[in-house]
Amino acid sequence: MGKNTKEQETWTPLSNLRKAPLSFSGGFYSPEFVEKHGLKKEGCIECEDRDAALLWVPEFLEIALREDGEIWCRLNPDTPGRRKEEEVFKTSKGTFLSRNDGKFGGKLLTPKRKAVRGNFVKVFEFGGRIYAVDSLTHFVTANTAIYMFSDTLEPVLLYGEEWPHPCSRDSVAFRGLHIRKDTAFLLVSGRHREHWYDASKGAEDVSYLFEISNGWFLLKETLPYFFHSGNELLISNGHLYLGMDKVVADVDLQTKTIRAYTPLPEEAEAESRRLFEKYGWKYF
């Protein structure tokens, strides 16, 4: 959080925001609504066919934890764009290079120039170890794998399946990382199908919160929620906070109840709801 007055004016306490449905995240607007309200079109995704012309406008929220324990948020002034074809991650053991080949995956080159297949979106260092997250979303499917690198920089799979990802019961994407002094948390979210080979069984919303502490990698919580996106993750006072597109999710980790908040006007939510009611799950 910035200290100058101009930056402080852009941040708002979460307690001052109005409640909104979690489903508002990822919602569409009509081109007329976007034009009327002068919404930023950079990064917009257009969904158009003979039935509808809809625009998804990225409105990601940043969240921050103040010293008094209160959560503040603001609209991210810099719209998260598409991933670069190459991304560099510097660590104490050298530089990791992630090459993004889109739906075809990609690879992560270690400092020893060994290639690990996957679409790596995060490499981080914690507790004297290096971790990497491979996560790929394509249409309605998603796959995530989490690795730890040994002292000799050999990849050790902690969660998920190695590339190419076989049919998995979990179709989940990486949603956030929160590193504290003694603990790191990772969140993945999507849908789970007990019988992946039988589509008639349906799928359930699911999120997994992993914890790294004292050299252990543990599944801390399983939550019955699907988070459409993730911009920033915070774990504080027994709550999970996730800055998403259009809303901030607040999950009580003890009761597993959820609330969502937004700084956006009710008119925007009403427009998104109107389109949802008109077109159903075809685009949402």
Side-chain angles (χ1 to χ4, degrees):
M1 301 254 321
K3 294 183 178 180
N4 63 70
T5 304
K6 183 177 180 180
E7 285 192 352
Q8 286 179 342
E9 289 177 350
T10 66
W11 290 88
T12 305
L14 194 64
S15 57
N16 286 1
L17 302 185
R18 68 180 184 84
K19 293 180 182 179
L22 187 66
S23 58
F24 184 27
S25 180
F28 285 80
Y29 300 136
S30 65
E32 294 78 15
F33 184 89
V34 171
E35 192 70 30
K36 175 182 176 181
H37 294 275
L39 297 181
K40 186 177 180 180
K41 293 185 178 181
E42 182 181 350
C44 282
I45 295 178
E46 185 174 3
C47 180
E48 182 176 8
D49 67 10
R50 62 184 180 183
D51 296 324
L54 307 174
L55 288 173
W56 173 68
V57 179
E59 296 169 296
F60 287 97
L61 298 177
E62 283 185 88
I63 54 177
L65 176 64
R66 295 199 345 167
E67 292 181 359
D68 60 5
E70 190 170 18
I71 304 295
W72 286 51
C73 84
R74 70 170 179 175
L75 277 170
N76 190 338
D78 300 313
T79 301
R82 294 181 179 274
R83 288 196 58 230
K84 300 176 182 178
E85 291 185 4
E86 290 191 349
E87 196 165 359
V88 172
F89 299 96
K90 294 184 178 181
T91 74
S92 62
K93 294 187 177 181
T95 298
F96 288 75
L97 177 65
S98 174
R99 291 182 175 169
N100 174 23
D101 294 331
K103 65 182 180 181
F104 300 107
K107 59 185 175 182
L108 180 69
L109 294 177
T110 72
K112 290 189 174 183
R113 309 307 292 174
K114 177 175 181 176
V116 185
R117 287 295 306 275
N119 191 15
F120 286 84
V121 297
K122 182 72 71 175
V123 176
F124 65 97
E125 205 161 356
F126 178 77
R129 295 285 189 180
I130 296 171
Y131 299 86
V133 180
D134 160 29
S135 188
L136 175 64
T137 301
H138 183 58
F139 290 113
V140 297
T141 62
N143 292 285
T144 295
I146 301 173
Y147 293 84
M148 178 188 73
F149 285 88
S150 68
D151 293 336
T152 57
L153 295 182
E154 290 297 315
V156 178
L157 184 67
L158 300 177
Y159 166 76
E161 305 284 351
E162 295 181 355
W163 183 274
H165 303 289
C167 294
S168 172
R169 290 182 174 88
D170 290 330
S171 178
V172 296
F174 176 64
R175 287 296 178 244
L177 168 69
H178 179 205
I179 297 179
R180 301 197 305 211
K181 182 179 179 180
D182 302 316
T183 313
F185 298 95
L186 298 97
L187 179 69
V188 300
S189 183
R191 292 186 170 89
H192 172 85
R193 177 176 284 121
E194 188 61 33
H195 305 282
W196 60 263
Y197 49 83
D198 187 354
S200 66
K201 299 293 184 180
E204 298 178 346
D205 293 348
V206 69
S207 292
Y208 301 121
L209 180 65
F210 296 103
E211 175 184 323
I212 304 173
S213 60
N214 298 319
W216 293 93
F217 179 83
L218 307 168
L219 174 61
K220 181 176 177 62
E221 297 287 351
T222 299
L223 304 170
Y225 302 112
F226 167 62
F227 298 112
H228 168 270
S229 59
N231 183 52
E232 209 159 10
L233 173 69
L234 287 175
I235 308 296
S236 177
N237 294 324
H239 284 242
L240 178 154
Y241 299 95
L242 184 65
M244 303 170 62
D245 169 55
K246 297 177 176 60
V247 305
V248 175
D250 171 7
V251 182
D252 185 319
L253 293 176
Q254 183 174 0
T255 64
K256 296 188 178 181
T257 54
I258 188 170
R259 294 180 178 179
Y261 303 89
T262 183
L264 300 179
E266 293 185 9
E267 186 178 2
E269 181 188 331
E271 169 70 0
S272 178
R273 183 171 58 251
R274 179 184 71 83
L275 295 175
F276 172 81
E277 291 173 350
K278 182 174 181 180
Y279 297 108
W281 284 105
K282 183 174 182 180
Y283 299 107
F284 292 83

